[in-house]
Amino acid sequence: MDTYEITGGKKLSGDVTVSGAKNAALPIIVASLLADGETILKNIPDLMDIRTIITAIEHLGASTEFHKEKNTLKIKVGNIKNADLPYDLMKTMRASYYVMGPLLARIGEADVSLPGGCAIGERPVDIHLAGFEAMGAVIKLEHGYIKARAKSLKGAEYTMRKISVGATANIMMAAVLASGRTVLENCAMEPDVVDLGNFLLKMGARISGLGTERIEIEGVKKLNPVEYSIIPDRIEAGTFLLAGAITRGKIKVSRVVPEHIGALTDTLEEIGFRLEKGPDWVKISPSQKLQGTKIKTLPFPGFPTDLQAPIMSVFTTIPGINVIIETIFENRFTHVGELRRMGGDITIEGNVAIIKGVKGLSAAPVMMSDLRAGASLVLAGLAAKGKTEIRRIYHSDRGYEKLSEKLQALGADIVRVRGGNP
Ligand code: EPZ
């Protein structure tokens, strides 16, 4: 298995361009199943999770061509030949769950393995299922599979008991072809959900209220295949700003929507970093006076849980006390043990982490436990004294395109060692 070797201490500088958003691309690729014909998607990042979702839609009957050097994915949809998604695909990636909405909408059945828990928490799917039920689907759990059936989906009024990115997207994909009007309350407002909505609108769906708590959808009979370009990845953009922060470097992150990372840039300014923004770029530079701060992860536009682990690495280097309250996932502190091994002074009390800034981190062999925990270790490695060896880097391959190449271009001493330690 490949590893990263990072010799820390280099101040990063220069420009980095952000790839397409993984968490927008995943539902959009699946939503292409809603129309017969050829969909062309641009700005699709070349990531493991993207390859998994491509395998999933091919299993259902789509044919695809992925031009990874151009980040373009062509998807041809004719007959949907399968309504089931096997356990193997689901256990590789939970987002495979997104096939449920389109399958129910198009062929009235979906047999999808019930996802188990994952490294960051239990992650139930009850909100998705209750939404499908509200639209008339009958749902049974048999032998570890969820079997959903709906002769025809009917528009419904449904209030989600909790804000969920996945449930908002999944139910929206089901509702666009349902008969009548669907009103969804307590919706996720994440840019990824809005991007999916914009894609569906371009296909001919009738949706209003995207980016608000209430989304209304008037079902249509048919959608058309279109060409569409995915938004930039705000979590990748944020991770690079944090790489600038932790190395006290000067970085310009290009092809980003600054409003998508407002909670992060506000926090970095509170700490004392200097931020400049343009229409599609954000620059970070250091300052002499840095001080600890407090964040709480929340649904968009709050501070994203996906940047909680990466910012914790930065907090380990900020003088004073920093506090993180994680409210989205119950087990999203798996990076803490590894950061402590690198010298981080971190105390956990339930869902609260208290991080005391230390003078310097020191390199150690560490292991990624999930995608964003992995990013936090890479950031720590960039700042630590000595050579950090990071194992299980397949986690970061799931969500960061060309991570080591992009960091090298900013001056980082990071090497991907092929076939390194498991
Ligand atoms: C999406 O996951 C992202 N994944 C996650 O990114 C991200 O961390 C998360 O949203 C929160 O922003 C994708 O977009 C593919 P949720 P999702 O449904 O949709 C609970 C990454 O690193 N919940 O918004 O699964 C759930 O357990 C990944 O890129 C239920 O209780 O998240 C959580 O506590 C990791 N029942 C909360 O809601 C449900 O039916 C929010 O989860 C659904 C969710």
Side-chain angles (χ1 to χ4, degrees):
M1 272 194 266
D2 293 2
T3 57
Y4 281 138
E5 280 181 8
I6 306 175
T7 305
K10 300 251 168 12
K11 279 187 199 306
L12 301 195
S13 69
D15 279 27
V16 61
T17 301
V18 171
S19 300
K22 165 181 85 81
N23 289 346
L26 291 171
I28 288 174
I29 291 170
V30 176
S32 67
L33 294 172
L34 291 164
D36 285 338
E38 187 174 76
T39 295
I40 299 178
L41 300 177
K42 298 194 165 157
N43 207 24
I44 296 285
D46 181 19
L47 300 170
M48 280 315 294
D49 277 8
I50 296 295
R51 286 168 187 267
T52 307
I53 206 78
I54 290 174
T55 310
I57 62 165
E58 284 192 334
H59 170 82
L60 301 176
S63 58
T64 68
E65 271 174 55
F66 186 28
H67 299 278
K68 60 175 187 169
E69 60 303 329
K70 288 193 192 149
N71 295 103
T72 299
L73 175 64
K74 287 186 185 169
I75 303 169
K76 272 199 191 130
V77 178
N79 271 344
I80 293 184
K81 64 174 192 214
N82 279 318
D84 74 296
L85 201 68
Y87 176 62
D88 276 349
L89 278 168
M90 184 56 71
K91 79 173 187 339
T92 314
M93 186 182 66
R94 296 178 60 86
S96 309
Y97 213 74
Y98 278 142
V99 302
M100 270 199 103
L103 281 177
L104 275 176
R106 290 231 47 197
I107 58 171
E109 54 182 293
D111 292 352
V112 175
S113 152
L114 180 66
C118 84
I120 60 176
E122 274 211 16
R123 305 184 75 184
V125 289
D126 59 299
I127 305 171
H128 304 230
L129 299 182
F132 297 140
E133 280 176 334
M135 297 172 75
V138 175
I139 304 213
K140 283 191 195 147
L141 176 66
E142 280 174 14
H143 309 297
Y145 274 74
I146 292 166
K147 300 199 167 192
R149 297 288 179 273
K151 279 219 176 76
S152 66
L153 287 175
K154 291 184 186 57
E157 294 198 3
Y158 175 57
T159 302
M160 284 171 262
R161 68 165 176 84
K162 189 172 180 181
I163 297 175
S164 160
V165 171
T168 308
N170 222 343
I171 299 166
M172 197 157 76
M173 289 191 276
V176 284
L177 287 178
S179 60
R181 184 187 187 77
T182 297
V183 181
L184 300 178
E185 302 271 7
N186 205 23
C187 294
M189 300 189 279
E190 267 67 4
D192 313 286
V193 174
V194 175
D195 206 35
L196 168 67
N198 285 332
F199 173 67
L200 294 169
L201 282 171
K202 199 167 180 195
M203 293 171 91
R206 293 178 57 195
I207 306 172
S208 60
L210 288 170
T212 72
E213 286 160 15
R214 178 187 163 99
I215 296 179
E216 293 191 23
I217 301 156
E218 196 67 55
V220 294
K221 289 239 149 45
K222 185 172 168 278
L223 294 173
N224 302 306
V226 294
E227 193 173 310
Y228 190 78
S229 186
I230 309 294
I231 53 166
D233 195 309
R234 67 201 161 97
I235 305 302
E236 187 199 5
T239 304
F240 282 116
L241 285 179
L242 292 168
I246 201 164
T247 62
R248 311 296 193 256
K250 272 192 192 172
I251 292 187
K252 181 179 179 190
V253 180
S254 296
R255 216 201 286 151
V256 58
V257 182
E259 302 82 67
H260 290 177
I261 48 170
L264 173 69
T265 49
D266 287 353
T267 304
L268 289 169
E269 280 178 328
E270 259 167 50
I271 298 172
F273 291 101
R274 278 199 290 269
L275 277 295
E276 289 167 71
K277 293 176 196 173
D280 66 349
W281 54 264
V282 179
K283 261 189 211 170
I284 183 165
S285 21
S287 80
Q288 293 303 320
K289 270 184 101 183
L290 300 177
Q291 57 179 16
T293 190
K294 183 168 99 184
I295 59 156
K296 185 174 182 180
T297 63
L298 287 170
F300 190 84
F303 194 95
T305 174
D306 290 345
L307 286 175
Q308 179 261 111
I311 203 167
M312 189 185 289
S313 296
V314 175
F315 281 170
T316 62
T317 69
I318 303 296
I321 301 286
N322 300 273
V323 178
I324 294 180
I325 308 171
E326 170 60 58
T327 75
I328 307 290
F329 291 111
E330 67 275 17
N331 189 25
R332 220 176 190 184
F333 284 142
T334 55
H335 44 289
V336 169
E338 300 299 82
L339 290 177
R340 281 193 190 126
R341 298 183 55 246
M342 297 180 73
D345 182 343
I346 306 162
T347 310
I348 301 288
E349 301 241 357
N351 67 337
V352 179
I354 299 156
I355 304 112
K356 244 194 230 169
V358 292
K359 275 252 154 56
L361 294 174
S362 73
V366 287
M367 199 165 76
M368 294 188 181
S369 52
D370 78 62
L371 167 58
R372 310 302 173 187
S376 80
L377 299 181
V378 171
L379 295 183
L382 292 173
K385 199 160 184 242
K387 193 189 272 186
T388 294
E389 183 202 42
I390 308 182
R391 302 183 187 188
R392 302 203 177 168
I393 64 171
Y394 55 84
H395 286 294
S396 58
D397 292 342
R398 294 184 60 167
Y400 289 95
E401 190 180 41
K402 300 194 177 85
L403 180 60
S404 50
E405 289 92 326
K406 287 186 180 185
L407 287 170
Q408 279 160 3
L410 293 169
D413 186 344
I414 174 169
V415 184
R416 186 178 182 116
V417 181
R418 305 273 162 192
N421 279 311

